[in-house]
Structure formats: structure tokens, C-alpha cells
Amino acid sequence: MPSTPFANAVRQLEKAAEAIDLNPGILAVLKNPIRILQVSIPVEMDDGKTKVFSGYRVQHNDSRGPTKGGIRYHPKADLGEVKALAMLMTWKCSLMNIPYGGAKGGIIVDPKKLSHRELERLTRGYVQGLNGFIGPNRDIPAPDVYTNPQIMAWIMDESSRMLGYNVPGIVTGKPVEIGGSLGRHYATAQGGIDVLDEVCGLKGVKCDRNSRVVIQGFGNAGSFSAKILYQKGYKVVSVSDSQGGIYNPKGLNPSEVEVYKKEHGTVVGFPGTKKINNKQILELPCDILIPAALDNQITQANAGKIKAKIILELANGAISPEADEKLAKRNIMFIPDILSNAGGVTVSYFEWVQNLQQFYWDEKEVLQRLKKVMQAAFRQTYETAQLHKTNLRMAAYILAVSRVAEAMKLRGH
Ligand code: NAD
């Protein structure tokens, strides 16, 4: 079998299916998305010429509720990857026990090469192509790679124009002014740290506020994690971005690093630190390692060199399947992506709930509810791991796939 993202996603599903002796008919259904839509989007460019872009929306499974998942704008977006990510969303929503199935969308485009107006026309064209396919009770998009709250605002507006009334619940990750949720912009980091708090509370886990933390990536997930952990008293000793990393064993103040990055375009060069590269950062002496940038960072090649005791996998797919086995053998606890980074989709769910009831919560309420969902998901995953004598990733899949299978059985699929 080739090692494509979709083939890997199916392999992971098969492993979980084997562990729970899943009905072969249900497995066969879960291996494929229930619906795929491909759209051609003609866009009038600023020079008056027309360009046609290709876009997709994949709905993997809707047994537990309407499908949910982000939209990415990327020159290398492809259907196989979108299918894999849609399946991952089914498991993530199921694991968090929120009433959604999984979906994902993508447009093949380099958004950095488009003007603001061209990007708006592209987004509105995509929404027109998705007419009838998405909706607050059907399929709810959100931001992903290279899409942002402004793009979500256009999606909401175009959908509302087509329907003739406001439909804020058709998309999440919107600006707060038009129905976005407070706390959404740092929910992924916050949710990951809520899980980390649970891990640190486990018997036998050595992790306290003096623990040294290393974070690869200083974007949304990485920089908010760094700031929240620093505020909690942890010692953040290293962070990085695409240009490299910085290291100070005595600790860094992430808010100061952020100011430096705004001025210089990178964290590299921050006073009092040693420059390291993005490979070295993963192997630094530390207690907690947080990959928060790219996939496939901890692999068979470097899993034996990791010194952290706990890995919080905030970036999707940061640890390869082969590395999972090596880390488990070395007793390094890794908290899988579908659990660690599920704070984002959880607060997206809260945003949708607030939109549907037209009643908005304050930030404290959002954070309290987020913590409750993350704590429950971690505890259930941990108990499943103990029961099946397996690692947390396998346990998360077992739980997630079982819940979807149960919903399918009950509905008679
Ligand atoms: P982002 O674009 O805000 O930040 C990415 C960071 O990675 C940047 O600091 C960038 O400089 C750095 N980077 C890029 N190339 C790198 C390289 N070669 N080596 C090291 N660092 C590099 O993205 P984000 O939203 O923070 O997402 C990061 C990861 O978290 C992704 O895998 C994403 O899928 C996952 N994730 C994010 C969210 C969210 O809500 N932001 C939710 C779920 C999962």
C-alpha cells in the first residue's frame, strides 16, 4: 500500500478496527467518505482575465451529526489529502464527544499571489459552488491552512445573500463582531494545555511548573502555548519558526519573543539566546516537547534521540506511525494530535451553539466549558489505554471509531 496521507489514515482506522473487532461492513463504509464535491471556480482577476481554480469539499461521515472541518487554500491541496483530513475530523469530533461528523475542504491556489479582492471573489465563487452542500445542519466549514476569519466572514456573507437571511451558523472561526466566539483564536493552545494539566496530575508523572518546555513553531498554536505556559510558571527554554530556533536554558519570555518576531520577522536573533535549527530543537534536553509547526517531524530517524518525557502533539501528524512505536518503547508519553489540538474544533462547536441559540457567552464561560470537554476526553482516552494496554493514540482511535460505529449501528446503517 502506498504511503499517502489517505492510505495512512485508512491503515490507522484498520488498526483500531482490529483492536475492537469492528463489524467488517461498518469498516468498509468508514474507509470511504460519504460524499465528495469537486467544483471549478471561475474568478475574474484584477487584470480583467478569467482564471479557473479547482476546489473540493469532502464529507467523511455524518452518523453523529452534521459534518465539520476546515478549508485550506494551498497550491498543493489535493483530493487524497482532503479525504484523509476529513476522516481525521470524524475521529476528532467523536473523541471530543461533540455532535459532529468529519469533513474538510480545499482549493488549489497560492493565496499569497492573489489580491484581497481576488481572494474575496475566489471565496464567494467557492461558496456558490458549494450551494446546498454546506449548511448549519449539514456541513460547517472553518479556517485551516492559509484561511482566516476574514475568509470565514465572506463565506457567511455569501451564504446569507444566497439564502436571503443571516446564517452565522454555516461557518465557524468568524470574527467576533459577526458571531465568532470569544476565546476561539487561542482555543487550540488552551485546549492542549488543559490536557497537559491532566497529564501532569497523573500519578508517577514528573511534571511541575519548573518543567522545561520546548516548542517547535511560533504561529497560532505554538505562540499561544508558549505564552499560556509561561504565565503558568513553566520554563519555556526554546521556540522556533521557519527560519530556525532560539535556545536559552534559563528560559524565555514568549511575549518579548513575540514583539521581537513582529519587528524582525523571525524569532532568530532574540537577545541572550543561542541559534539552533529545527531538527536540533526536537532533541534538546527538556521535560515537555510541543511540535506545533509541521507534520512528520518526529520519525524513526530521531525518535531515539528525543529527551522529553512528554510530547504534546499540537501539529497534525507531527509524529510518524513508526516513531509512535519507538517512543512507546522508550516510555515517552505522547498525547496524540486528535486529542491535543481538538480545542480549536471544540470552541468552533461552542461558536455554532451560540449562533444557533443567538445567545453569546463571556470568555470565562467558553474557557470553563472547553476545560471540561478536554478533561473528559483525556480521562476517557487514558482509561481506554489502560484497559487495552496500548498507547494514547491507539486508545483515542479505539474510542472515536467505537462511538461512530455505535451511532451507525443504532441508526441502522
Ligand atoms: P501557523 O501558520 O500559525 O504557524 C506555523 C508555525 O510553523 C509558524 O511559526 C511557522 O514559522 C512555523 N514553521 C513553518 N515552517 C517551519 C519549519 N520548516 N520548521 C519549523 N517551523 C516552521 O499554523 P498553526 O495554526 O499554529 O498550526 C500549526 C499546526 O497546528 C498545524 O499542523 C495545524 O494543522 C495544527 N493545528 C492548528 C490549529 C489551530 O487552531 N491553529 C488547530 C488544529 C491543528
Side-chain angles (χ1 to χ4, degrees), residues 37 86 88 110 189 225 270 273 275 324 331 351 370:
L37 182 71
L88 204 73
D110 183 350
S225 300
F270 182 71
T273 60
K275 185 184 176 195
D324 269 10
N331 276 329
E351 178 177 334
L370 172 64

Side-chain angles (χ1 to χ4, degrees), residues 305-320:
K305 298 180 194 152
I306 305 293
K307 299 188 186 65
K309 322 262 182 330
I310 299 167
I311 305 176
L312 184 71
E313 190 187 23
L314 276 193
N316 279 319
I319 306 176
S320 77

Side-chain angles (χ1 to χ4, degrees), residues 47 56 81 99 155 187 208 220 244 290 375 389:
D47 63 5
Y56 306 100
E81 184 192 46
I155 293 177
D208 57 35
N220 179 286
I290 307 184
Q375 280 175 336
K389 297 190 173 40

